Amino acid sequence: MAEDRRGAILRLASWTGSDNPITRHMVGVQPPGSINLAGGLPAPELFPVDEVRAATERALRRFGPRALAYGPVAGLPELRALLARRFSRPGRSLGPENVVVTSGGLQALDFLGRALLERGDSILAQFPTYLGAIDAWKPAHPRHVALDWDAAPDAQQAAMQAAKFTYCVPNFSNPTGELVSLPRRRALLAAARAARALLVEDDPYGALYYDGPPLPTIFDLEAGLGDGGPWRGNVLHLGTLSKSIGPGLRIGWAIGDAAVVDAICMSMQG
């Protein structure tokens, strides 16, 4: 009887019918002494607890009650300005209008999907791809098309034009760990610009280079093509503090063309 009553009350959306057991169990309880390699899960013993505590105390002294209040939809203005300065390069001058702060990188993926995806749209993405992105976009029932990094330029442009956007994780790709080569990055950027297509570069692991100098992100490669004026680019760059400091902070960002950032902000308000 309780089951019938529950069914009458709980009318789930159709997209919830396809469960993802991998995501569900990824952060489950682990045997003592084990290391979970199922996902990008930082080691808790490495979290900078003392440094975060000190930073929190400084923020409360500086901002007082404002630090605990609701803020603008796009994020704390000071943080947006700081991120804009951090990611500005010769040829690319960014302002707060190019930045939206999110609750972790996954929220940026979620609201990007809400802003852009209609039911049945295509997403061109490297394969296999990040399961969190697949889950975030599931409500729109998109069609996922495998990205071929080595496709001929004309074929790559056609594939990007046919998709609502292209999604990639060039630095230590989740779940494969692949580091995409510089020629492949340049080729994908060239195809995106020729196709006038949106290229979403997810970079949660970019700060974790340990061997040799980091490869330039696709976002930075595009900066070299700018003229220093208001930024109008094809790449939307996503980042997070979850892998470099701690996932509990829930701080991420999306940086790119102001029109794309505005669209994400609109979806956050709705």
Side-chain angles (χ1 to χ4, degrees), residues 33-36 41-51 245-247:
S34 66
I35 298 176
N36 188 346
L41 308 177
E45 63 269 22
L46 299 180
F47 293 157
V49 175
D50 292 338
E51 290 83 354
I245 297 182

Side-chain angles (χ1 to χ4, degrees), residues 59 62-63 66-84 96 99-102 251-252:
R62 177 180 177 184
F63 297 104
R66 181 186 168 205
L68 303 178
Y70 288 115
V73 169
L76 189 70
E78 292 88 343
L79 180 55
R80 294 173 68 202
L82 184 150
L83 288 166
V99 182
V100 56
V101 178
T102 58
I251 295 178

Side-chain angles (χ1 to χ4, degrees), residues 65-127:
R66 181 186 168 205
L68 303 178
Y70 288 115
V73 169
L76 189 70
E78 292 88 343
L79 180 55
R80 294 173 68 202
L82 184 150
L83 288 166
R85 292 194 299 271
R86 176 183 172 184
F87 285 92
S88 289
R89 300 288 186 272
R92 180 181 66 208
S93 179
L94 300 174
E97 69 277 6
N98 299 109
V99 182
V100 56
V101 178
T102 58
S103 180
L106 187 56
Q107 191 188 53
L109 294 171
D110 179 19
F111 283 112
L112 176 70
R114 297 191 197 192
L116 300 183
L117 291 174
E118 301 285 359
R119 187 181 182 92
D121 278 342
S122 294
I123 300 171
L124 185 66
Q126 64 188 90
F127 180 82

